[in-house]
Amino acid sequence: MSHNRRRILGAALALPAALTAAEVLSAAPAVAAGGIEAQPWTDLALEPGVTAQAGAAPQVRLVTIAGTAFLQARGSVACNLTADQKVATLPAELRPTGLVRATAPRNNSQGINACRFEVNTAGSLTIYGGNSGNPITWVQFDSVQTVWH
């Protein structure tokens, strides 16, 4: 019995917060059946001292599922972040109307293997968590997927 409750709760938590059963039922057939609308990938404008890793240009796009938009990122950057620092700028058409945060993998140092990925309304992508005793030397964006507003 508790196993079934966990499965149901897990499935409910996996749905985006803004998505309701009524929205799914009233959505266009392609979306209600799992259709996805994805914009093309767009390169990020990197800050000085931040470089794309070979074959992994950092890019972003918006994906819409049942009326809910998500920012999806991919690629990796090499850097030497010893403080919270802006690493890139998103194109004007992909800037959020509010602060957006996610978690991204980073070099594993002193048992810390993740950093905060944050985009503000000006499109500044800032990475948080580096310091002089534990610098961030690379960040991988492939796991970044977050609700966009």
Side-chain angles (χ1 to χ4, degrees), residues 19-46:
L19 186 62
T20 65
E23 290 172 324
V24 172
L25 294 174
S26 66
V31 173
I36 297 172
E37 180 184 330
Q39 293 182 358
W41 289 102
T42 304
D43 292 336
L44 293 172
L46 299 177

Side-chain angles (χ1 to χ4, degrees), residues 80-133:
N80 185 26
L81 308 180
T82 57
D84 302 338
Q85 184 175 326
K86 177 181 174 184
V87 297
T89 302
L90 274 65
E93 65 274 9
L94 293 178
R95 294 182 182 169
T97 57
L99 193 61
V100 176
R101 293 181 175 142
T103 303
R106 60 160 280 187
N107 57 296
N108 188 358
S109 178
Q110 300 175 10
I112 299 172
N113 60 7
C115 57
R116 188 168 82 210
F117 172 109
E118 185 174 287
V119 180
N120 66 21
T121 57
S124 295
L125 191 166
T126 301
I127 297 297
Y128 291 85
N131 61 58
S132 59

Side-chain angles (χ1 to χ4, degrees), residues 5-6 13-15 35-36 50 56 77 87 89 94 97 109-110 124 133 135 141 146 149:
R5 278 191 238 145
R6 278 192 292 241
L13 293 174
L15 291 173
I36 297 172
V50 177
V77 295
V87 297
T89 302
L94 293 178
T97 57
S109 178
Q110 300 175 10
S124 295
F141 296 153
T146 185
H149 49 84

